[in-house]
Amino acid sequence: MSKPIPPRPGQGALRDRLSEILRVDQAGELAAVHIYRGQAAVMRASPGRARIADQLTEMEGHEQVHLDRFNALLTEHKVRPTLMSPVWRAAAFALGAGTALLGDKAAHACTEAVENVIEKHYAGQIDELKDRDPVLAAELTQFRDDELSHRDLAVEEGAHEAPAYPLLTAVIQAGCRAAIKISEKI
């Protein structure tokens, strides 16, 4: 019996790319939910921070809507989630709780840092998909707009006043970019 003919270069490439997009976006929304949960948990336990905890819980709700949609898309397209999900869940909660423990401004700096990376990430995907899958591109556009509103609120709430703001945001953004690359493949 002869060996099967290997696929032509590019055959299945679009399917593989869609799998990467859905897998990484689902992972990102999973992480966002847990960042906000960690932040809200700390803020709820801190006197006088109920307003901020409520904001964080509301943003978590937006992220949960995104996560639910990506979970449905993974099922629809028979794409497995990243194997890193348990790690990202724990790391995201720790990042959220840790930045909230540093104070309101640091929690907002975390949100701004994450949302800046995600906005660029979604923008690239939207550009890539706009002609090939305009329905998905439109959904990503709505999700990106939600992320931008979270970022804008974080800036209004004083993200730039966080202690060690440049270092804090640089570390968070580097971690986000690394998680994106890992989640696309693993």
Side-chain angles (χ1 to χ4, degrees), residues 62-73:
H62 301 158
E63 304 296 356
Q64 186 64 55
V65 169
H66 302 173
L67 176 59
D68 291 345
R69 180 61 183 139
F70 281 115
N71 285 338
L73 286 167

Side-chain angles (χ1 to χ4, degrees), residues 42-117:
V42 169
M43 293 299 171
R44 286 220 188 288
S46 304
R49 293 187 169 155
R51 180 186 67 82
I52 295 168
D54 290 344
Q55 285 177 338
L56 296 167
T57 299
E58 181 179 341
M59 290 189 285
E60 177 193 334
H62 301 158
E63 304 296 356
Q64 186 64 55
V65 169
H66 302 173
L67 176 59
D68 291 345
R69 180 61 183 139
F70 281 115
N71 285 338
L73 286 167
L74 289 181
T75 300
E76 178 183 327
H77 292 278
K78 296 178 177 60
V79 175
R80 65 161 176 76
T82 179
L83 297 174
M84 299 299 292
S85 291
V87 174
W88 296 157
R89 188 179 298 114
F93 188 89
L95 175 61
T99 55
L101 286 168
L102 293 173
D104 305 359
K105 307 297 187 212
H108 291 305
C110 176
T111 296
E112 181 198 14
V114 170
E115 301 300 18
N116 277 333
V117 171

Side-chain angles (χ1 to χ4, degrees), residues 1-2 8 10-11 15 17 41 50 52-53 58 64 67 75 83 105 108 116 118 126 128 130 144 155 186:
M1 184 171 184
S2 65
R8 293 187 319 261
Q11 186 176 3
R15 164 96 172 97
R17 180 61 185 135
I52 295 168
E58 181 179 341
Q64 186 64 55
L67 176 59
T75 300
L83 297 174
K105 307 297 187 212
H108 291 305
N116 277 333
I118 299 310
I126 292 163
E128 180 182 347
K130 66 184 176 200
R144 182 199 60 201
V155 170
I186 297 178

